[in-house]
Amino acid sequence: MNTPNTSDSNTPDGKVNLFQADMASRYRTDGIFQAITWTSIVIALLILAVLIIDVLMDGLPFINWNFLSNFPSRKPEQAGLLSALAGTIWVMVTVAVIAFPLGVGAGIFLEEFAEDNWFARAIEININNLAGVPSIIYGLLGLQVFVRLLGPNGWLFELTGIDITGGRSILTGALTLALLVLPIIIVSTRESLRAVPDSLRLAGFALGATRWQVVHNQILPIAIPGILTGTILALSRAIGETAPLITIGALTFISFLPENLQSPFTVLPIQIYNWVSRPQKDFHDLAAGGIIVLLVVLLVMNSTAVLLRNKLQKRF
Amino acid sequence: MNSDPTRLDSLWSPNRKASKRSESIVRFIFGAFALVSVATTIGIVGTLIFETFEFFQEVPFWNFLTDTQWTPLFKSAKFGIFVLISATMLTSTIAVTVALPLGLFAAICLSEYATPKTRQIIKPLLEVLAGIPSVVFGYFALLFVTPLLQNIVPGLQGFNALSAGLVLGVSITPLIASLSEDAIYAVPRSLRDGSYALGATKRETIISVVLPAALSGIVSSVILAVSRAIGETMIVTLAAGQNPTLGLNPFVPIMTMTAFIVQVSLGDTPAGSLAFKTIFAVGMTLFLITLVLNVFSFWFVRRFREKYD
């Protein structure tokens, strides 16, 4: 191949052409390269498949009614995740109630009301940076502010006698997670609002509507599927978070149901962590069962989000 | 208001005053909501600075940087933060070694080789991988990957940096893949056509034209992934162990910064104690490292982005 004196590499005037197109070997390398890129995708998807199959094989035998309706127990055969499931539902509803209005309101303000000045830009940079802060740092924030300052024996309690959060409670956990997912909701709200064409706003202004009337009556109804999709995705991020809740001191052994926002609580990922970190094999399989429940909840949430996006979203 | 049609003003009463008032109320409330994000930042920075300051009242800054042991809960407490940083570096390095080729090749494949139809199937599957909670990856690392590796690597301990790092790498692969793919996909077609016209093959075009053009986006995606790996908690806590040792041996238990915060949080640590302040000092270190990486990533994109119109 590399001998330069083959007949096709000689130019008409008899000089040796040093340039070798050598297409065959270049195409061969191309083929190898393409195979490598496909392999990397196959590897990633294979790992996903192995992970899910491993969890299903370990955990499926444990999924039954008792598992869903029993409290955690020191005996693996009696243990269930009722309190974790209840805690997860409590926390998620509270996170949604706190984070949805805050995030959507902030998104509307930044996209529709704020002028393009240093203040708006500072908030925008700030939100970008917040999205990159590790979740465990939010746990430290929650520990200091919601558990210590606003909880029992805290600074506010000593001043006024009011205990807002009740210490290491559902409300503390929900506030912490709400702050964690707020940037996601704000960003998705802004993107949904930006996707609504300006002509609709201008038409509204031309009819004499104020900015808020335009946003409220014309823009929001169109943007709401996108906003809801973003919110569900943000909640599905919050539902799997473990580290910040451990940091604020969510208990791992709870054998009662939460009664109000100030109750101590546990959630699915913490219960899973608790079971995984025990040495006995039986608890590991229970953890796999818990993971299946968690993944099913996530699957339901994410498919709802995708359905919302596909069915309700208008295109212009 | 509209009961008497003979009066002219009843036909049209826009009541501008009321709508302007509600406008400014809404504006004020939503503006306050937007400030919550600023308050969060102030809360995080304030909390970390306050407790870290308290921490350095008791532990000299120099010891924090130079001690070679990390034993804050022992009687003779030692606070060598580099013990924890080395562990975090170890797991993150293993993670990036896995995730960089995997994510980058996946991005190239999705953007350049996959048909639109296959893309539509593969991208959501990668998003599923990205959405798996970290505690699930932790389970996988501790109870599947470690036993598997113990068959191959003799002397691998039950807790080790290797399997934690490998699974951590898998968990950040979708991030690199999706952000890099955005960058590669954004490279205009005319550049590729130009390269083909010069006789380059597809691979040569990708490697010498497309990837350099998308480099800023790719680098920034990798930096963000590193930052994510450094802040990741559950995988390293579950699979890498709770044993603070200085060194870069991936086969033994170690303790990352995040794992230390979890260890202290699980115990009963009274507020105001030195252990309590320690987790904030560690948190501050973690926060600063990830902040520098994130800012650097943003700066890199802005500085080196190739613009094509």
Side-chain angles (χ1 to χ4, degrees), chain A residues 26 30 33-34 38 40 50 58 101-102 105 113 126 130 132 137 141 144 148 208 210-212 273 284 288 298, chain B residues 16 23 30 33 37-38 41 43 47 51 105-106 109 113 139 143 199 201-204 234 266 271 276 283 294:
Chain A
R26 283 161 70 194
D30 266 39
F33 182 75
Q34 187 177 357
W38 279 107
S40 66
V50 168
D58 291 349
L102 278 181
F113 287 102
N126 178 45
L130 275 182
I137 302 286
L141 172 75
Q144 182 78 322
R148 283 194 67 203
T210 63
R211 203 164 264 277
W212 170 236
Y273 169 73
H284 295 166
L298 277 171
Chain B
R16 301 292 295 173
E23 165 104 1
F30 286 178
F33 287 178
S37 71
V38 179
T41 307
T47 297
E51 293 289 340
F105 280 131
C109 185
Y113 288 115
Y139 171 92
L143 300 174
T201 66
K202 191 156 191 175
R203 163 190 54 93
E204 289 159 351
M234 298 321 292
L266 283 175
F276 184 84
N294 292 344

Side-chain angles (χ1 to χ4, degrees), chain B residues 33-52:
Chain B
F33 287 178
L35 282 179
V36 169
S37 71
V38 179
T40 309
T41 307
I42 295 173
I44 289 174
V45 174
T47 297
L48 292 177
I49 288 180
F50 178 76
E51 293 289 340
T52 306

Side-chain angles (χ1 to χ4, degrees), chain B residues 133-298:
Chain B
S134 60
V135 71
V136 179
F137 279 120
Y139 171 92
F140 186 63
L142 179 67
L143 300 174
F144 184 85
V145 176
T146 299
L148 193 73
L149 287 178
Q150 276 172 330
N151 293 329
I152 306 165
V153 185
L156 188 71
Q157 302 206 19
F159 296 107
N160 61 78
L162 183 62
S163 51
L166 291 177
V167 175
L168 190 58
V170 172
S171 81
I172 59 172
T173 297
L175 183 72
I176 296 186
S178 111
L179 292 180
S180 297
E181 199 232 331
D182 289 345
I184 294 172
Y185 200 71
V187 175
R189 208 192 145 75
S190 55
L191 259 70
R192 296 183 178 86
D193 290 344
S195 170
Y196 293 145
L198 290 172
T201 66
K202 191 156 191 175
R203 163 190 54 93
E204 289 159 351
T205 304
I206 292 171
I207 289 179
S208 11
V209 176
V210 178
L211 288 188
L215 192 66
S216 70
I218 294 170
V219 170
S220 112
S221 84
V222 174
I223 298 171
L224 281 184
V226 172
S227 154
R228 179 77 63 84
I230 288 174
E232 221 299 316
T233 310
M234 298 321 292
I235 300 174
V236 289
T237 307
L238 277 169
Q242 314 255 317
N243 186 20
T245 42
L246 186 64
L248 298 173
N249 181 354
F251 304 133
V252 298
I254 53 168
M255 184 190 240
T256 62
M257 292 188 276
T258 49
F260 171 73
I261 298 177
V262 167
Q263 186 201 31
V264 172
S265 304
L266 283 175
D268 191 24
T269 316
S273 64
L274 184 57
F276 184 84
K277 292 168 193 164
T278 312
I279 60 175
F280 286 90
V282 174
M284 183 78 177
T285 316
L286 181 65
F287 178 74
L288 285 180
I289 294 175
T290 54
L291 184 72
V292 166
L293 285 173
N294 292 344
V295 169
F296 180 67
S297 154
F298 284 127

Side-chain angles (χ1 to χ4, degrees), chain A residues 247-288:
Chain A
T247 313
I248 61 165
L251 291 174
T252 48
F253 193 86
I254 298 265
S255 54
F256 50 86
L257 289 180
E259 285 169 353
N260 55 40
L261 287 178
Q262 298 200 342
S263 303
F265 70 106
T266 184
V267 290
L268 282 174
I270 292 188
Q271 188 62 60
I272 293 167
Y273 169 73
N274 181 255
W275 280 333
V276 177
S277 55
R278 292 189 194 206
Q280 300 94 331
K281 168 92 173 72
D282 285 348
F283 281 112
H284 295 166
D285 293 342
L286 280 177

